[in-house]
Amino acid sequence: MPHSATSLANLDLTTLAERLGRRCREQGVSVTAAESCTGGGVASAITAVAGSSDYFETGYVTYSNAAKARLLGVAEALIAQHGAVSREVVEAMVAGACRDSGAKLGVAISGVAGPDGGTPEKPVGTVWLAWGSEHEQRAERFQFPGDRRAVRERAVREAIVGLIRYLENPPGQSR
């Protein structure tokens, strides 16, 4: 039975990572993460759970645009047109991570954690996340309050919550 957003929001990061692990095992799904502003925080949270090697093999920290292009196959023209912090880029990141790793499900994160780097269109705290596979993605923009640490922590939590929601309500099911 799917859990409400409220119930997931009240869980600590370790409990969320454990729930993700249970869902991955139940469904036989492997997962990957392509991270920019979180610098490996999602991979760290997932692998803090004993036995996570059953469903997590590879994570990518692609902090620079060049790394996004080289490791994940994100087209440089896509980054130039939309910026690294965009729906289009995180969707391409998750597709590339799944393609390269062979994982069935992935999450990608790109954002402006601060304290610098914000613009009027993408102020500090703007984070795009995408969840999905090589062939299908869901993306969402967030505006997280707080300092660099708070923005990064919130992005990691939302990434894992989104993976759980994706597994509990796969594409093609009614919402």
Side-chain angles (χ1 to χ4, degrees):
M1 177 168 140
H3 297 274
S4 72
T6 304
S7 67
L8 288 176
N10 293 330
L11 299 176
D12 64 70
L13 192 57
T14 300
T15 303
L16 287 170
E18 289 168 346
R19 180 173 289 181
L20 173 63
R22 281 193 302 278
R23 294 288 183 260
C24 287
R25 283 189 183 99
E26 289 167 4
Q27 297 180 29
V29 170
S30 56
V31 68
T32 187
E35 304 180 63
S36 187
C37 67
T38 51
V42 173
S44 179
I46 291 171
T47 60
V49 175
S52 56
S53 60
D54 291 347
Y55 50 87
F56 185 87
E57 180 182 317
T58 306
Y60 305 83
V61 177
T62 55
Y63 206 63
S64 71
N65 291 343
K68 289 172 183 63
R70 185 176 68 254
L71 297 174
L72 302 174
V74 177
E76 291 177 8
L78 191 70
I79 296 170
Q81 181 178 359
H82 300 283
V85 181
S86 65
R87 169 187 302 274
E88 294 80 4
V89 169
V90 293
E91 288 176 347
M93 288 171 67
V94 77
C98 288
R99 181 177 52 252
D100 186 70
S101 69
K104 300 271 191 250
L105 176 61
V107 62
I109 305 168
S110 189
V112 185
D116 302 320
T119 66
E121 299 80 28
K122 297 175 187 176
V124 170
T126 303
V127 178
W128 273 98
L129 288 104
W131 303 269
S133 66
E134 180 179 354
H135 305 290
E136 184 172 1
Q137 304 85 35
R138 297 178 188 164
E140 189 172 345
R141 179 185 168 151
F142 293 87
Q143 188 63 49
F144 297 128
D147 63 8
R148 181 178 182 81
R149 184 181 58 78
V151 169
R152 289 166 46 108
E153 287 175 0
R154 288 284 306 275
V156 169
R157 285 184 59 77
E158 285 298 331
I160 294 174
V161 166
L163 288 168
I164 294 165
R165 286 185 184 141
Y166 200 97
L167 290 168
E168 291 180 346
N169 189 21
Q173 286 191 358
S174 61
R175 295 182 199 192

